[in-house]
Amino acid sequence: MKTALTIAGSDSSGGAGIQADLKAMTMNGVFAMSAITALTAQNTTGVSGIFEVSPEFLAQQIDAVFTDIRPCAVKIGMVSSAPLIETIAERLRFYKAEHIVVDPVMAATSGSDLIASDAVRTLRRELFPLAEVITPNRHEAEVLSGLHISGRADMSAAARAIAADCGCAVLLKGGHSVTDADDLLIFPDGTEIWFPGKRIANPNTHGTGCTLSSAIASNLAKGFALEEAIARAKAYLTDALNAQLDLGRGSGPLDHTLGGVGVENWMHGVPDAVHK
């Protein structure tokens, strides 16, 4: 069995963060492991508290994973401070980690801030150069590129600017933009690939970014090329949204189990275009 590690914050409501990552990785057919960067008191309406682990303890968690069950891929989500980011980067370089996916989480779906402003600079300096792909949404891409995004041309310009600056592929997610949920992948050499997406009438989107990036990492762990891994991850996320789970008083979580089907049953329904 292939393996994947998520390095991210805990979501006490179970819809995002470590909890969403573990569910998505499991459903995408890999053995999931975790290193927790912070505990959050969080639900579908917002984040009421964040308790960071120490850099030393985060390093211990990463060491415990890599020295026993080496991950085939690593997903990095919420990391709220510069010292933690530096610790992750140092440990991943030390272990020569492969297939790193960075979801530059800056705010929860509810709008609550999840990262210190100085940590954004450290994120792009330390972690982006290690990544195979980063997965910003529109707001995050605007922060990282310094450009306003209002359409496909703006998405392309912002993604190209980030890829050129950071030297990694960029998947700019269209779910928060004016496009019909189309995502754009830009490689460092300028190659551009659009992934069409149908906007789903579902107000419950808590944890969509965590879920997509974890599914991408899972499929990279299984040996799929980046473009294929993204296509498979988008198919999974679409089905999780289509399940129309409705929990909580705010923007609720996805149904990561797709209504209870097993991963093999789900894979039988994946379009031929995304099968390897």
Side-chain angles (χ1 to χ4, degrees):
M1 175 175 278
K2 299 299 183 180
T3 58
L5 167 66
T6 168
I7 305 174
S10 167
D11 173 5
S12 50
S13 71
I18 288 286
Q19 288 82 349
D21 296 342
L22 296 175
K23 295 171 191 176
M25 288 176 172
T26 300
M27 282 299 295
N28 279 271
V30 299
F31 182 79
M33 301 171 286
S34 64
I36 298 175
T37 61
L39 304 177
T40 69
Q42 180 178 176
N43 58 27
T44 63
T45 65
V47 180
S48 57
I50 299 175
F51 183 81
E52 282 192 354
V53 305
S54 68
E56 293 77 17
F57 186 64
L58 178 57
Q60 283 184 304
Q61 293 179 76
I62 296 171
D63 289 342
V65 172
F66 271 92
T67 57
D68 189 23
I69 305 175
R70 183 180 175 88
C72 303
V74 179
K75 173 264 171 81
I76 302 169
M78 173 199 166
V79 192
S80 54
S81 70
L84 292 178
I85 294 169
E86 291 167 346
T87 296
I88 294 169
E90 188 277 326
R91 289 289 82 191
L92 294 185
R93 285 193 295 264
F94 178 81
Y95 289 112
K96 297 180 173 59
E98 300 173 309
H99 299 310
I100 298 170
V101 178
V102 178
D103 185 17
V105 178
M106 297 179 187
T109 301
S110 62
S112 303
D113 289 336
L114 293 174
I115 187 170
S117 57
D118 67 313
V120 176
R121 293 189 295 273
T122 308
L123 189 69
R124 64 189 305 156
R125 184 184 71 244
E126 296 288 339
L127 285 183
F128 287 2
L130 301 180
E132 184 165 345
V133 64
I134 66 172
T135 61
N137 61 27
R138 184 188 68 176
H139 168 70
E140 292 157 353
E142 287 180 334
V143 172
L144 294 170
S145 68
L147 301 173
H148 175 69
I149 300 173
S150 61
R152 289 171 70 97
D154 295 334
M155 288 178 68
S156 180
R160 287 180 182 279
I162 298 168
D165 180 55
C166 301
C168 62
V170 177
L171 178 69
L172 204 170
K173 297 173 291 190
H176 291 76
S177 72
V178 296
T179 68
D180 191 18
D182 294 349
D183 296 341
L184 171 63
L185 175 65
I186 295 284
F187 287 94
D189 65 2
T191 301
E192 181 175 298
I193 301 172
W194 283 92
F195 294 85
K198 180 180 179 181
R199 190 172 296 281
I200 298 168
N202 185 346
N204 297 308
T205 58
H206 184 56
T208 50
C210 304
T211 300
L212 180 67
S213 55
S214 293
I216 292 170
S218 299
N219 284 289
L220 289 173
K222 292 194 293 184
F224 292 101
L226 180 57
E227 182 180 353
E228 183 91 358
I230 291 170
R232 293 167 67 91
K234 279 181 65 67
Y236 170 70
L237 178 60
T238 297
D239 283 350
L241 285 165
N242 270 327
Q244 297 292 334
L245 183 66
D246 188 16
L247 296 173
R249 294 185 294 110
S251 180
L254 314 177
D255 185 349
H256 290 93
T257 65
L258 310 176
V261 303
V263 63
E264 291 305 320
N265 289 333
W266 170 73
M267 281 306 303
H268 286 229
V270 176
D272 289 341
V274 299
H275 278 301
K276 191 71 172 175

